[in-house]
Amino acid sequence: MDPARYDRTRPPYPDAMIERIAAASPGTDFLNVGCGTGIEARQFRAAGRRVLGVEPDPRMADFARESGLEVEVATFEEWKPAGRTFDAVVSGTAWHWVDPVAGAAKAARVLRPGGVLAPFGHAYQLPPTVAETLATAYRRAAPESPINFSGQSGGSVLNAYQALYTKAAEGIREVGGFGEPELWRYDWERSYRREELLDLMSTWGGVSDLPSERMAEVLTAVDGAVDALGGTVTLSYATWGLTAIRTDARP
């Protein structure tokens, strides 16, 4: 994965969501789990928060550091807090890589009383003809892959991501030490020119793993579908997430 392309193409998070999490936190010290290239970390920093990133990919971490962020390379499970505590633990489109119980337990240990745990992430919906073209081209390029893009045109894909955060909420309840998790969703849209969409698509799981010639075949097929729509398409997004407040009781 090319960190510069990832950072250039992946959309930021809704301002209202950033404000919601910032307002729920009792202070300004934020821990960003799976910070990647620093997309959400920069948004929280712009909102006046001090952010420490934890990121397992050294290339992503190095890119994030270029914007002045402090990043430590580790998985969240293996990361050493060294006695440090935080007012918020946030995670943008990365909490699904963390065990929901072990992750909630570690968040509980590093959060100050009243601190907030807030994992969140995007789901997207392609126009039907583009989704169908992508699915067909991807099956042809990677017939043995378990990834299926055929459902990316239905509204159900926006709803399906709720399950990720329902699972995260279950892990939080199992660990204890938090108030009742609050699930939420922000709906929005973003338009892409053909070259912008292809650039973004090349960072998606499954597509980014293809050999270069097969990736080119997939993107060429999608290029034709977008061109048939006038060269610009609008993607519907749903940003799902939850907030859970740390209580005084230790799990």
Side-chain angles (χ1 to χ4, degrees):
M1 182 77 69
D2 177 0
R5 174 176 288 176
Y6 183 98
D7 192 77
R8 180 177 68 247
T9 60
R10 291 296 180 106
Y13 295 92
D15 290 339
M17 187 212 77
I18 297 295
E19 294 167 3
R20 179 184 196 142
I21 296 171
S25 171
T28 60
D29 293 327
F30 277 45
L31 179 68
N32 187 182
V33 176
C35 71
T37 58
I39 294 172
E40 68 269 20
R42 295 193 299 269
Q43 290 184 268
F44 283 115
R45 185 175 63 182
R49 272 51 188 177
R50 294 187 296 270
V51 184
L52 171 65
V54 176
E55 168 56 44
D57 188 330
R59 298 168 302 168
M60 294 283 195
D62 284 343
F63 188 96
R65 292 185 185 116
E66 291 177 6
S67 62
L69 294 167
E70 182 182 355
V71 184
E72 298 179 4
V73 177
T75 63
F76 186 46
E77 291 90 341
E78 296 176 349
W79 173 72
K80 306 299 183 185
R84 291 169 291 182
T85 58
F86 301 86
D87 298 302
V89 173
V90 299
S91 183
T93 317
W95 198 252
H96 58 283
W97 297 113
V98 179
D99 179 273
V101 175
K106 190 153 194 177
R109 289 196 295 272
V110 301
L111 278 170
R112 297 163 187 157
V116 60
L117 170 59
F120 50 85
H122 298 314
Y124 64 89
Q125 176 182 319
L126 291 165
T129 56
V130 177
E132 292 164 7
T133 299
L134 170 60
T136 299
Y138 186 76
R139 283 196 301 269
R140 187 166 54 244
E144 298 180 358
S145 174
I147 297 174
N148 181 6
F149 287 103
S150 61
Q152 292 300 336
S153 65
S156 62
V157 70
L158 300 182
N159 296 328
Y161 273 58
Q162 180 178 357
L164 292 175
Y165 299 95
T166 298
K167 184 177 181 181
E170 291 169 354
I172 291 168
R173 294 188 190 101
E174 181 174 337
V175 165
F178 287 93
E180 177 61 19
E182 179 185 3
L183 271 68
W184 36 259
R185 167 178 169 169
Y186 292 88
D187 292 300
W188 51 285
E189 294 181 338
R190 179 166 177 172
S191 295
Y192 292 87
R193 298 190 304 275
R194 176 175 49 200
E195 61 272 17
E196 292 174 327
L197 181 64
L198 298 180
D199 210 17
L200 169 66
M201 198 171 287
S202 68
T203 72
W204 288 350
V207 177
S208 64
D209 299 325
L210 291 172
S212 58
E213 66 278 5
R214 293 192 178 184
M215 181 191 293
E217 292 172 7
V218 172
L219 297 181
T220 297
V222 173
D223 182 283
V226 177
D227 188 54
L229 294 176
T232 300
V233 297
T234 298
L235 270 60
S236 297
Y237 279 91
T239 300
W240 282 97
L242 66 81
T243 43
I245 304 301
R246 184 75 176 86
T247 63
D248 289 332
R250 290 289 162 181

